[in-house]
Amino acid sequence: MEPMEQEVVQEQKNLRKIIMVDDVGFLLLSAKERLKDVYEIFPATSAKALFQILETVAPDCILLDINMPDIDGFETIKNLKADPRYREIPVMFLSSKNDRDTIVRARKSGAVDFIPKPFTDAELIESIEHFFHPEKRVESKPIILAVDDNPSILKAINSVLNHKYTVRTLANPQSLEEILKFITPDLFLLDCQMPDIHGFDLVPLIRKYPENADVPIIFLTSDSSTENISAAIGHGASDYILKPLNADVLHERIAFHLRGFVMKRRIREAEEN
Protein backbone atom coordinates (compact mmCIF):
# COMPACT_ATOMS: atom_id res chain seq x y z
CA MET A 1 0.00 0.00 0.00
CA GLU A 2 1.32 3.45 -0.95
CA PRO A 3 2.05 5.96 1.88
CA MET A 4 -0.73 8.25 0.71
CA GLU A 5 -3.24 5.37 0.74
CA GLN A 6 -2.11 4.42 4.24
CA GLU A 7 -2.75 7.97 5.44
CA VAL A 8 -6.25 7.95 3.94
CA VAL A 9 -7.10 4.60 5.54
CA GLN A 10 -5.78 5.77 8.91
CA GLU A 11 -7.79 8.98 8.64
CA GLN A 12 -10.96 7.02 7.86
CA LYS A 13 -10.37 4.81 10.91
CA ASN A 14 -10.23 7.90 13.11
CA LEU A 15 -13.60 9.28 12.00
CA ARG A 16 -16.17 9.57 14.76
CA LYS A 17 -18.76 6.82 14.67
CA ILE A 18 -22.27 8.26 14.65
CA ILE A 19 -25.51 6.28 14.73
CA MET A 20 -28.24 8.37 13.11
CA VAL A 21 -31.81 7.29 13.82
CA ASP A 22 -34.68 8.56 11.65
CA ASP A 23 -37.66 6.76 10.13
CA VAL A 24 -37.11 8.59 6.82
CA GLY A 25 -34.62 6.32 5.10
CA PHE A 26 -33.56 8.60 2.25
CA LEU A 27 -32.55 11.31 4.74
CA LEU A 28 -30.22 8.84 6.45
CA LEU A 29 -28.63 7.69 3.21
CA SER A 30 -28.24 11.28 2.03
CA ALA A 31 -26.58 12.34 5.30
CA LYS A 32 -24.29 9.32 5.23
CA GLU A 33 -23.10 10.18 1.73
CA ARG A 34 -22.73 13.92 2.32
CA LEU A 35 -20.82 13.52 5.59
CA LYS A 36 -18.73 10.47 4.69
CA ASP A 37 -15.51 12.48 4.87
CA VAL A 38 -16.37 13.81 8.33
CA TYR A 39 -18.09 10.95 10.19
CA GLU A 40 -18.71 7.26 9.84
CA ILE A 41 -22.50 7.26 9.97
CA PHE A 42 -24.51 4.14 10.74
CA PRO A 43 -28.14 4.68 9.64
CA ALA A 44 -31.03 3.23 11.63
CA THR A 45 -34.68 3.65 10.64
CA SER A 46 -36.10 2.58 14.01
CA ALA A 47 -35.26 2.06 17.67
CA LYS A 48 -35.05 -1.68 17.01
CA ALA A 49 -32.45 -1.11 14.29
CA LEU A 50 -30.52 1.18 16.65
CA PHE A 51 -30.14 -1.51 19.30
CA GLN A 52 -29.15 -4.04 16.67
CA ILE A 53 -26.34 -1.75 15.53
CA LEU A 54 -25.26 -1.18 19.14
CA GLU A 55 -24.51 -4.89 19.44
CA THR A 56 -21.53 -4.50 17.11
CA VAL A 57 -20.74 -0.75 17.03
CA ALA A 58 -19.52 1.47 19.87
CA PRO A 59 -20.60 4.95 18.68
CA ASP A 60 -19.22 8.28 19.78
CA CYS A 61 -22.76 9.63 19.85
CA ILE A 62 -26.31 8.95 18.70
CA LEU A 63 -28.44 11.35 16.66
CA LEU A 64 -32.03 10.49 17.50
CA ASP A 65 -35.22 11.67 15.81
CA ILE A 66 -38.08 12.29 18.25
CA ASN A 67 -41.10 11.58 16.07
CA MET A 68 -40.92 7.96 14.97
CA PRO A 69 -43.59 5.28 14.68
CA ASP A 70 -43.79 2.43 17.22
CA ILE A 71 -41.11 3.70 19.63
CA ASP A 72 -40.43 7.44 19.68
CA GLY A 73 -37.21 9.21 20.62
CA PHE A 74 -38.17 9.80 24.24
CA GLU A 75 -38.91 6.13 24.87
CA THR A 76 -35.73 5.18 23.03
CA ILE A 77 -33.47 7.40 25.13
CA LYS A 78 -35.18 6.08 28.25
CA ASN A 79 -34.23 2.56 27.19
CA LEU A 80 -30.67 3.66 26.43
CA LYS A 81 -30.22 5.29 29.83
CA ALA A 82 -31.62 2.20 31.56
CA ASP A 83 -28.93 -0.04 30.04
CA PRO A 84 -25.48 0.18 31.71
CA ARG A 85 -23.83 -0.62 28.36
CA TYR A 86 -25.28 2.42 26.62
CA ARG A 87 -26.20 5.01 29.25
CA GLU A 88 -22.98 7.02 28.81
CA ILE A 89 -23.34 7.41 25.04
CA PRO A 90 -24.23 11.06 24.30
CA VAL A 91 -27.59 11.46 22.58
CA MET A 92 -28.59 14.46 20.49
CA PHE A 93 -32.22 14.88 19.53
CA LEU A 94 -33.30 15.85 16.03
CA SER A 95 -36.78 17.31 15.72
CA SER A 96 -38.99 19.60 13.66
CA LYS A 97 -40.79 20.50 16.91
CA ASN A 98 -39.11 23.32 18.83
CA ASP A 99 -41.86 24.22 21.28
CA ARG A 100 -40.89 24.79 24.89
CA ASP A 101 -42.41 21.57 26.24
CA THR A 102 -40.49 19.43 23.75
CA ILE A 103 -37.19 21.17 24.48
CA VAL A 104 -37.64 20.93 28.25
CA ARG A 105 -38.55 17.26 27.98
CA ALA A 106 -35.49 16.67 25.80
CA ARG A 107 -33.18 18.14 28.42
CA LYS A 108 -34.79 16.21 31.26
CA SER A 109 -34.51 12.95 29.32
CA GLY A 110 -30.72 13.22 29.27
CA ALA A 111 -30.07 14.52 25.75
CA VAL A 112 -26.89 16.58 25.43
CA ASP A 113 -28.24 18.71 22.58
CA PHE A 114 -31.39 19.51 20.62
CA ILE A 115 -30.98 20.16 16.90
CA PRO A 116 -34.06 21.69 15.22
CA LYS A 117 -35.06 20.44 11.77
CA PRO A 118 -34.37 21.37 9.09
CA PHE A 119 -30.65 21.78 9.68
CA THR A 120 -27.66 22.21 7.41
CA ASP A 121 -24.60 19.96 7.38
CA ALA A 122 -22.62 22.78 8.97
CA GLU A 123 -25.13 23.10 11.83
CA LEU A 124 -25.03 19.37 12.46
CA ILE A 125 -21.24 19.24 12.48
CA GLU A 126 -21.08 22.32 14.70
CA SER A 127 -23.41 20.74 17.27
CA ILE A 128 -21.53 17.44 17.34
CA GLU A 129 -18.06 18.95 17.55
CA HIS A 130 -19.11 21.56 20.09
CA PHE A 131 -20.07 18.73 22.44
CA PHE A 132 -16.69 17.02 22.11
CA HIS A 133 -14.71 20.28 22.08
CA PRO A 134 -16.76 22.90 23.94
CA GLU A 135 -13.67 25.08 24.31
CA LYS A 136 -13.46 25.51 20.54
CA ARG A 137 -15.75 27.25 18.06
CA VAL A 138 -15.51 24.65 15.29
CA GLU A 139 -18.03 26.34 13.04
CA SER A 140 -16.25 29.11 11.18
CA LYS A 141 -19.49 30.85 10.22
CA PRO A 142 -21.06 33.11 12.88
CA ILE A 143 -24.31 31.85 14.36
CA ILE A 144 -27.38 34.05 13.96
CA LEU A 145 -30.60 33.32 15.84
CA ALA A 146 -33.69 34.84 14.23
CA VAL A 147 -36.90 35.01 16.30
CA ASP A 148 -40.14 35.86 14.52
CA ASP A 149 -43.66 34.45 14.78
CA ASN A 150 -44.01 34.59 10.98
CA PRO A 151 -42.57 31.40 9.39
CA SER A 152 -42.43 33.10 5.98
CA ILE A 153 -40.11 35.80 7.31
CA LEU A 154 -37.90 33.22 9.01
CA LYS A 155 -37.71 31.26 5.77
CA ALA A 156 -36.73 34.41 3.89
CA ILE A 157 -34.06 35.31 6.47
CA ASN A 158 -32.59 31.82 6.27
CA SER A 159 -32.56 31.93 2.47
CA VAL A 160 -30.80 35.31 2.40
CA LEU A 161 -28.20 34.58 5.08
CA ASN A 162 -27.46 30.85 5.17
CA HIS A 163 -24.64 30.92 2.60
CA LYS A 164 -22.62 33.22 4.86
CA TYR A 165 -23.90 32.43 8.36
CA THR A 166 -25.20 29.52 10.38
CA VAL A 167 -28.84 30.55 10.76
CA ARG A 168 -31.05 29.20 13.53
CA THR A 169 -34.73 30.19 13.44
CA LEU A 170 -37.35 30.22 16.17
CA ALA A 171 -41.05 30.83 15.52
CA ASN A 172 -42.08 30.33 19.14
CA PRO A 173 -40.50 33.10 21.25
CA GLN A 174 -41.62 31.40 24.47
CA SER A 175 -38.98 28.73 23.75
CA LEU A 176 -36.08 31.18 23.55
CA GLU A 177 -34.77 30.62 27.06
CA GLU A 178 -34.61 26.87 26.54
CA ILE A 179 -32.94 27.24 23.12
CA LEU A 180 -30.22 29.41 24.70
CA LYS A 181 -29.22 26.49 26.91
CA PHE A 182 -28.13 24.68 23.75
CA ILE A 183 -26.58 27.34 21.51
CA THR A 184 -24.59 30.57 21.86
CA PRO A 185 -25.46 32.91 18.98
CA ASP A 186 -23.12 35.63 17.73
CA LEU A 187 -26.05 37.88 16.83
CA PHE A 188 -29.81 37.99 17.43
CA LEU A 189 -32.53 39.15 15.04
CA LEU A 190 -35.72 39.81 17.05
CA ASP A 191 -39.14 40.75 15.75
CA CYS A 192 -40.63 43.58 17.80
CA GLN A 193 -44.32 42.75 17.60
CA MET A 194 -45.29 39.14 18.32
CA PRO A 195 -48.43 37.63 19.85
CA ASP A 196 -48.35 37.36 23.65
CA ILE A 197 -44.82 38.75 23.98
CA HIS A 198 -42.99 41.85 22.76
CA GLY A 199 -39.54 41.52 21.31
CA PHE A 200 -38.28 43.98 23.92
CA ASP A 201 -39.21 41.48 26.65
CA LEU A 202 -36.82 38.91 25.21
CA VAL A 203 -33.73 41.04 25.86
CA PRO A 204 -33.50 40.25 29.61
CA LEU A 205 -33.75 36.54 28.81
CA ILE A 206 -30.81 36.88 26.44
CA ARG A 207 -28.68 39.04 28.72
CA LYS A 208 -29.11 36.79 31.76
CA TYR A 209 -26.50 34.47 30.22
CA PRO A 210 -23.00 35.97 30.71
CA GLU A 211 -21.86 34.78 27.29
CA ASN A 212 -24.65 36.91 25.73
CA ALA A 213 -23.91 40.07 27.71
CA ASP A 214 -22.62 42.01 24.71
CA VAL A 215 -23.92 39.96 21.77
CA PRO A 216 -25.48 42.29 19.17
CA ILE A 217 -29.28 42.39 19.08
CA ILE A 218 -31.01 43.79 15.99
CA PHE A 219 -34.75 44.42 16.16
CA LEU A 220 -36.92 43.87 13.10
CA THR A 221 -39.90 46.21 12.99
CA SER A 222 -42.50 47.66 10.64
CA ASP A 223 -43.07 50.58 13.01
CA SER A 224 -40.74 53.38 11.94
CA SER A 225 -42.00 55.85 14.55
CA THR A 226 -39.42 57.70 16.62
CA GLU A 227 -41.00 56.36 19.80
CA ASN A 228 -40.64 52.73 18.72
CA ILE A 229 -37.07 53.14 17.51
CA SER A 230 -36.08 54.96 20.71
CA ALA A 231 -37.73 52.20 22.75
CA ALA A 232 -35.77 49.56 20.84
CA ILE A 233 -32.45 51.27 21.54
CA GLY A 234 -33.51 51.87 25.15
CA HIS A 235 -34.17 48.17 25.63
CA GLY A 236 -30.65 47.26 24.59
CA ALA A 237 -30.84 46.91 20.83
CA SER A 238 -27.67 47.40 18.86
CA ASP A 239 -29.70 48.39 15.82
CA TYR A 240 -33.08 48.09 14.13
CA ILE A 241 -34.10 47.17 10.58
CA LEU A 242 -37.40 48.19 9.07
CA LYS A 243 -39.76 45.69 7.45
CA PRO A 244 -40.22 44.68 4.71
CA LEU A 245 -36.64 43.42 4.91
CA ASN A 246 -34.10 44.35 2.28
CA ALA A 247 -31.42 41.70 1.72
CA ASP A 248 -28.61 44.21 1.15
CA VAL A 249 -29.50 46.19 4.26
CA LEU A 250 -29.72 42.99 6.31
CA HIS A 251 -26.26 41.86 5.21
CA GLU A 252 -24.73 45.30 5.71
CA ARG A 253 -26.06 45.79 9.25
CA ILE A 254 -25.21 42.26 10.38
CA ALA A 255 -21.67 42.48 9.02
CA PHE A 256 -21.12 45.85 10.72
CA HIS A 257 -22.22 44.67 14.17
CA LEU A 258 -20.44 41.33 13.93
CA ARG A 259 -17.15 43.06 13.14
CA GLY A 260 -17.41 45.12 16.30
CA PHE A 261 -18.49 42.18 18.41
CA VAL A 262 -15.70 39.89 17.18
CA MET A 263 -13.13 42.62 17.83
CA LYS A 264 -14.35 43.11 21.41
CA ARG A 265 -14.37 39.36 21.99
CA ARG A 266 -10.78 39.01 20.77
CA ILE A 267 -9.63 41.88 23.01
CA ARG A 268 -11.37 40.30 26.00
CA GLU A 269 -9.85 36.87 25.28
CA ALA A 270 -6.39 38.42 24.94
CA GLU A 271 -6.79 40.18 28.29
CA GLU A 272 -7.92 36.96 29.96
CA ASN A 273 -4.88 35.10 28.62
PDB file of all heavy atoms in Angstrom, residues 240-260:
ATOM      1  N   TYR A 240     -31.753  48.500  14.545  1.00  0.00           N
ATOM      2  CA  TYR A 240     -33.083  48.087  14.129  1.00  0.00           C
ATOM      3  C   TYR A 240     -33.117  48.106  12.606  1.00  0.00           C
ATOM      4  O   TYR A 240     -32.393  48.864  11.954  1.00  0.00           O
ATOM      5  CB  TYR A 240     -34.165  49.015  14.694  1.00  0.00           C
ATOM      6  CG  TYR A 240     -34.072  50.428  14.178  1.00  0.00           C
ATOM      7  CD1 TYR A 240     -34.770  50.819  13.033  1.00  0.00           C
ATOM      8  CD2 TYR A 240     -33.267  51.362  14.813  1.00  0.00           C
ATOM      9  CE1 TYR A 240     -34.666  52.099  12.542  1.00  0.00           C
ATOM     10  CE2 TYR A 240     -33.158  52.659  14.332  1.00  0.00           C
ATOM     11  CZ  TYR A 240     -33.852  53.022  13.187  1.00  0.00           C
ATOM     12  OH  TYR A 240     -33.745  54.293  12.696  1.00  0.00           O
ATOM     13  N   ILE A 241     -33.932  47.232  12.032  1.00  0.00           N
ATOM     14  CA  ILE A 241     -34.100  47.172  10.581  1.00  0.00           C
ATOM     15  C   ILE A 241     -35.597  47.180  10.293  1.00  0.00           C
ATOM     16  O   ILE A 241     -36.357  46.412  10.880  1.00  0.00           O
ATOM     17  CB  ILE A 241     -33.457  45.905   9.990  1.00  0.00           C
ATOM     18  CG1 ILE A 241     -31.950  45.900  10.265  1.00  0.00           C
ATOM     19  CG2 ILE A 241     -33.717  45.818   8.490  1.00  0.00           C
ATOM     20  CD1 ILE A 241     -31.249  44.641   9.783  1.00  0.00           C
ATOM     21  N   LEU A 242     -35.984  48.066   9.377  1.00  0.00           N
ATOM     22  CA  LEU A 242     -37.396  48.187   9.069  1.00  0.00           C
ATOM     23  C   LEU A 242     -37.863  47.084   8.123  1.00  0.00           C
ATOM     24  O   LEU A 242     -37.135  46.680   7.213  1.00  0.00           O
ATOM     25  CB  LEU A 242     -37.671  49.554   8.441  1.00  0.00           C
ATOM     26  CG  LEU A 242     -37.444  50.776   9.354  1.00  0.00           C
ATOM     27  CD1 LEU A 242     -37.693  52.055   8.571  1.00  0.00           C
ATOM     28  CD2 LEU A 242     -38.344  50.708  10.579  1.00  0.00           C
ATOM     29  N   LYS A 243     -39.099  46.616   8.365  1.00  0.00           N
ATOM     30  CA  LYS A 243     -39.755  45.693   7.448  1.00  0.00           C
ATOM     31  C   LYS A 243     -40.535  46.495   6.421  1.00  0.00           C
ATOM     32  O   LYS A 243     -41.017  47.587   6.738  1.00  0.00           O
ATOM     33  CB  LYS A 243     -40.702  44.759   8.213  1.00  0.00           C
ATOM     34  CG  LYS A 243     -40.012  43.819   9.188  1.00  0.00           C
ATOM     35  CD  LYS A 243     -41.052  42.943   9.874  1.00  0.00           C
ATOM     36  CE  LYS A 243     -40.442  41.942  10.814  1.00  0.00           C
ATOM     37  NZ  LYS A 243     -41.454  41.104  11.494  1.00  0.00           N
ATOM     38  N   PRO A 244     -40.719  45.974   5.196  1.00  0.00           N
ATOM     39  CA  PRO A 244     -40.218  44.679   4.709  1.00  0.00           C
ATOM     40  C   PRO A 244     -38.692  44.678   4.585  1.00  0.00           C
ATOM     41  O   PRO A 244     -38.093  45.709   4.264  1.00  0.00           O
ATOM     42  CB  PRO A 244     -40.901  44.522   3.344  1.00  0.00           C
ATOM     43  CG  PRO A 244     -41.206  45.923   2.924  1.00  0.00           C
ATOM     44  CD  PRO A 244     -41.522  46.673   4.181  1.00  0.00           C
ATOM     45  N   LEU A 245     -38.089  43.518   4.855  1.00  0.00           N
ATOM     46  CA  LEU A 245     -36.643  43.420   4.910  1.00  0.00           C
ATOM     47  C   LEU A 245     -36.007  43.528   3.533  1.00  0.00           C
ATOM     48  O   LEU A 245     -36.508  42.974   2.559  1.00  0.00           O
ATOM     49  CB  LEU A 245     -36.245  42.087   5.560  1.00  0.00           C
ATOM     50  CG  LEU A 245     -36.737  41.868   6.994  1.00  0.00           C
ATOM     51  CD1 LEU A 245     -36.341  40.481   7.476  1.00  0.00           C
ATOM     52  CD2 LEU A 245     -36.190  42.941   7.925  1.00  0.00           C
ATOM     53  N   ASN A 246     -34.895  44.231   3.496  1.00  0.00           N
ATOM     54  CA  ASN A 246     -34.100  44.355   2.280  1.00  0.00           C
ATOM     55  C   ASN A 246     -32.830  43.535   2.475  1.00  0.00           C
ATOM     56  O   ASN A 246     -32.118  43.721   3.472  1.00  0.00           O
ATOM     57  CB  ASN A 246     -33.759  45.827   2.022  1.00  0.00           C
ATOM     58  CG  ASN A 246     -32.872  46.022   0.812  1.00  0.00           C
ATOM     59  OD1 ASN A 246     -31.673  45.766   0.868  1.00  0.00           O
ATOM     60  ND2 ASN A 246     -33.458  46.493  -0.272  1.00  0.00           N
ATOM     61  N   ALA A 247     -32.543  42.622   1.554  1.00  0.00           N
ATOM     62  CA  ALA A 247     -31.416  41.700   1.722  1.00  0.00           C
ATOM     63  C   ALA A 247     -30.094  42.434   1.869  1.00  0.00           C
ATOM     64  O   ALA A 247     -29.259  42.077   2.714  1.00  0.00           O
ATOM     65  CB  ALA A 247     -31.362  40.739   0.534  1.00  0.00           C
ATOM     66  N   ASP A 248     -29.876  43.473   1.079  1.00  0.00           N
ATOM     67  CA  ASP A 248     -28.612  44.212   1.146  1.00  0.00           C
ATOM     68  C   ASP A 248     -28.452  44.907   2.491  1.00  0.00           C
ATOM     69  O   ASP A 248     -27.367  44.916   3.085  1.00  0.00           O
ATOM     70  CB  ASP A 248     -28.539  45.239   0.010  1.00  0.00           C
ATOM     71  CG  ASP A 248     -28.407  44.589  -1.356  1.00  0.00           C
ATOM     72  OD1 ASP A 248     -27.930  43.431  -1.409  1.00  0.00           O
ATOM     73  OD2 ASP A 248     -28.777  45.218  -2.357  1.00  0.00           O
ATOM     74  N   VAL A 249     -29.530  45.508   2.961  1.00  0.00           N
ATOM     75  CA  VAL A 249     -29.495  46.192   4.259  1.00  0.00           C
ATOM     76  C   VAL A 249     -29.229  45.178   5.370  1.00  0.00           C
ATOM     77  O   VAL A 249     -28.429  45.423   6.296  1.00  0.00           O
ATOM     78  CB  VAL A 249     -30.815  46.942   4.523  1.00  0.00           C
ATOM     79  CG1 VAL A 249     -30.862  47.469   5.956  1.00  0.00           C
ATOM     80  CG2 VAL A 249     -30.983  48.081   3.527  1.00  0.00           C
ATOM     81  N   LEU A 250     -29.890  44.032   5.298  1.00  0.00           N
ATOM     82  CA  LEU A 250     -29.718  42.991   6.309  1.00  0.00           C
ATOM     83  C   LEU A 250     -28.254  42.550   6.382  1.00  0.00           C
ATOM     84  O   LEU A 250     -27.658  42.475   7.466  1.00  0.00           O
ATOM     85  CB  LEU A 250     -30.619  41.806   5.974  1.00  0.00           C
ATOM     86  CG  LEU A 250     -30.866  40.761   7.072  1.00  0.00           C
ATOM     87  CD1 LEU A 250     -31.518  41.391   8.291  1.00  0.00           C
ATOM     88  CD2 LEU A 250     -31.751  39.633   6.536  1.00  0.00           C
ATOM     89  N   HIS A 251     -27.657  42.268   5.242  1.00  0.00           N
ATOM     90  CA  HIS A 251     -26.257  41.858   5.206  1.00  0.00           C
ATOM     91  C   HIS A 251     -25.329  42.958   5.731  1.00  0.00           C
ATOM     92  O   HIS A 251     -24.399  42.694   6.504  1.00  0.00           O
ATOM     93  CB  HIS A 251     -25.856  41.492   3.772  1.00  0.00           C
ATOM     94  CG  HIS A 251     -26.146  40.070   3.404  1.00  0.00           C
ATOM     95  ND1 HIS A 251     -25.448  39.008   3.954  1.00  0.00           N
ATOM     96  CD2 HIS A 251     -27.047  39.529   2.554  1.00  0.00           C
ATOM     97  CE1 HIS A 251     -25.902  37.882   3.453  1.00  0.00           C
ATOM     98  NE2 HIS A 251     -26.882  38.157   2.606  1.00  0.00           N
ATOM     99  N   GLU A 252     -25.596  44.180   5.319  1.00  0.00           N
ATOM    100  CA  GLU A 252     -24.733  45.299   5.708  1.00  0.00           C
ATOM    101  C   GLU A 252     -24.750  45.520   7.219  1.00  0.00           C
ATOM    102  O   GLU A 252     -23.696  45.649   7.855  1.00  0.00           O
ATOM    103  CB  GLU A 252     -25.193  46.564   4.989  1.00  0.00           C
ATOM    104  CG  GLU A 252     -24.378  47.798   5.346  1.00  0.00           C
ATOM    105  CD  GLU A 252     -24.939  49.053   4.700  1.00  0.00           C
ATOM    106  OE1 GLU A 252     -25.741  48.926   3.753  1.00  0.00           O
ATOM    107  OE2 GLU A 252     -24.582  50.154   5.159  1.00  0.00           O
ATOM    108  N   ARG A 253     -25.942  45.527   7.812  1.00  0.00           N
ATOM    109  CA  ARG A 253     -26.062  45.794   9.253  1.00  0.00           C
ATOM    110  C   ARG A 253     -25.475  44.637  10.072  1.00  0.00           C
ATOM    111  O   ARG A 253     -24.801  44.863  11.078  1.00  0.00           O
ATOM    112  CB  ARG A 253     -27.533  45.999   9.618  1.00  0.00           C
ATOM    113  CG  ARG A 253     -28.203  47.150   8.899  1.00  0.00           C
ATOM    114  CD  ARG A 253     -27.760  48.507   9.431  1.00  0.00           C
ATOM    115  NE  ARG A 253     -28.480  49.584   8.763  1.00  0.00           N
ATOM    116  CZ  ARG A 253     -29.691  50.019   9.124  1.00  0.00           C
ATOM    117  NH1 ARG A 253     -30.315  49.457  10.143  1.00  0.00           N
ATOM    118  NH2 ARG A 253     -30.264  51.007   8.460  1.00  0.00           N
ATOM    119  N   ILE A 254     -25.736  43.420   9.648  1.00  0.00           N
ATOM    120  CA  ILE A 254     -25.212  42.261  10.375  1.00  0.00           C
ATOM    121  C   ILE A 254     -23.691  42.253  10.335  1.00  0.00           C
ATOM    122  O   ILE A 254     -23.020  42.060  11.358  1.00  0.00           O
ATOM    123  CB  ILE A 254     -25.780  40.949   9.791  1.00  0.00           C
ATOM    124  CG1 ILE A 254     -27.261  40.814  10.151  1.00  0.00           C
ATOM    125  CG2 ILE A 254     -24.998  39.743  10.320  1.00  0.00           C
ATOM    126  CD1 ILE A 254     -27.948  39.636   9.497  1.00  0.00           C
ATOM    127  N   ALA A 255     -23.126  42.479   9.162  1.00  0.00           N
ATOM    128  CA  ALA A 255     -21.665  42.480   9.020  1.00  0.00           C
ATOM    129  C   ALA A 255     -21.039  43.565   9.884  1.00  0.00           C
ATOM    130  O   ALA A 255     -20.008  43.344  10.543  1.00  0.00           O
ATOM    131  CB  ALA A 255     -21.292  42.682   7.551  1.00  0.00           C
ATOM    132  N   PHE A 256     -21.654  44.743   9.921  1.00  0.00           N
ATOM    133  CA  PHE A 256     -21.124  45.846  10.722  1.00  0.00           C
ATOM    134  C   PHE A 256     -21.070  45.485  12.201  1.00  0.00           C
ATOM    135  O   PHE A 256     -20.040  45.677  12.874  1.00  0.00           O
ATOM    136  CB  PHE A 256     -21.986  47.093  10.521  1.00  0.00           C
ATOM    137  CG  PHE A 256     -21.628  48.238  11.429  1.00  0.00           C
ATOM    138  CD1 PHE A 256     -20.545  49.050  11.140  1.00  0.00           C
ATOM    139  CD2 PHE A 256     -22.378  48.486  12.567  1.00  0.00           C
ATOM    140  CE1 PHE A 256     -20.207  50.103  11.992  1.00  0.00           C
ATOM    141  CE2 PHE A 256     -22.042  49.531  13.424  1.00  0.00           C
ATOM    142  CZ  PHE A 256     -20.957  50.351  13.139  1.00  0.00           C
ATOM    143  N   HIS A 257     -22.170  44.967  12.733  1.00  0.00           N
ATOM    144  CA  HIS A 257     -22.224  44.665  14.166  1.00  0.00           C
ATOM    145  C   HIS A 257     -21.380  43.453  14.532  1.00  0.00           C
ATOM    146  O   HIS A 257     -20.803  43.406  15.628  1.00  0.00           O
ATOM    147  CB  HIS A 257     -23.671  44.488  14.608  1.00  0.00           C
ATOM    148  CG  HIS A 257     -24.448  45.765  14.608  1.00  0.00           C
ATOM    149  ND1 HIS A 257     -24.251  46.760  15.534  1.00  0.00           N
ATOM    150  CD2 HIS A 257     -25.407  46.226  13.750  1.00  0.00           C
ATOM    151  CE1 HIS A 257     -25.056  47.778  15.274  1.00  0.00           C
ATOM    152  NE2 HIS A 257     -25.777  47.475  14.205  1.00  0.00           N
ATOM    153  N   LEU A 258     -21.277  42.489  13.642  1.00  0.00           N
ATOM    154  CA  LEU A 258     -20.440  41.329  13.927  1.00  0.00           C
ATOM    155  C   LEU A 258     -18.964  41.712  13.966  1.00  0.00           C
ATOM    156  O   LEU A 258     -18.204  41.176  14.779  1.00  0.00           O
ATOM    157  CB  LEU A 258     -20.673  40.225  12.896  1.00  0.00           C
ATOM    158  CG  LEU A 258     -21.915  39.365  13.103  1.00  0.00           C
ATOM    159  CD1 LEU A 258     -22.050  38.343  11.977  1.00  0.00           C
ATOM    160  CD2 LEU A 258     -21.873  38.642  14.452  1.00  0.00           C
ATOM    161  N   ARG A 259     -18.544  42.616  13.114  1.00  0.00           N
ATOM    162  CA  ARG A 259     -17.145  43.057  13.136  1.00  0.00           C
ATOM    163  C   ARG A 259     -16.793  43.650  14.494  1.00  0.00           C
ATOM    164  O   ARG A 259     -15.759  43.331  15.085  1.00  0.00           O
ATOM    165  CB  ARG A 259     -16.898  44.078  12.029  1.00  0.00           C
ATOM    166  CG  ARG A 259     -16.707  43.493  10.645  1.00  0.00           C
ATOM    167  CD  ARG A 259     -16.091  44.495   9.687  1.00  0.00           C
ATOM    168  NE  ARG A 259     -16.945  45.659   9.490  1.00  0.00           N
ATOM    169  CZ  ARG A 259     -17.859  45.764   8.544  1.00  0.00           C
ATOM    170  NH1 ARG A 259     -18.069  44.750   7.711  1.00  0.00           N
ATOM    171  NH2 ARG A 259     -18.583  46.855   8.415  1.00  0.00           N
ATOM    172  N   GLY A 260     -17.652  44.512  15.000  1.00  0.00           N
ATOM    173  CA  GLY A 260     -17.408  45.122  16.299  1.00  0.00           C
ATOM    174  C   GLY A 260     -17.424  44.114  17.425  1.00  0.00           C
ATOM    175  O   GLY A 260     -16.589  44.157  18.334  1.00  0.00           O
TER     176      GLY A 260
END
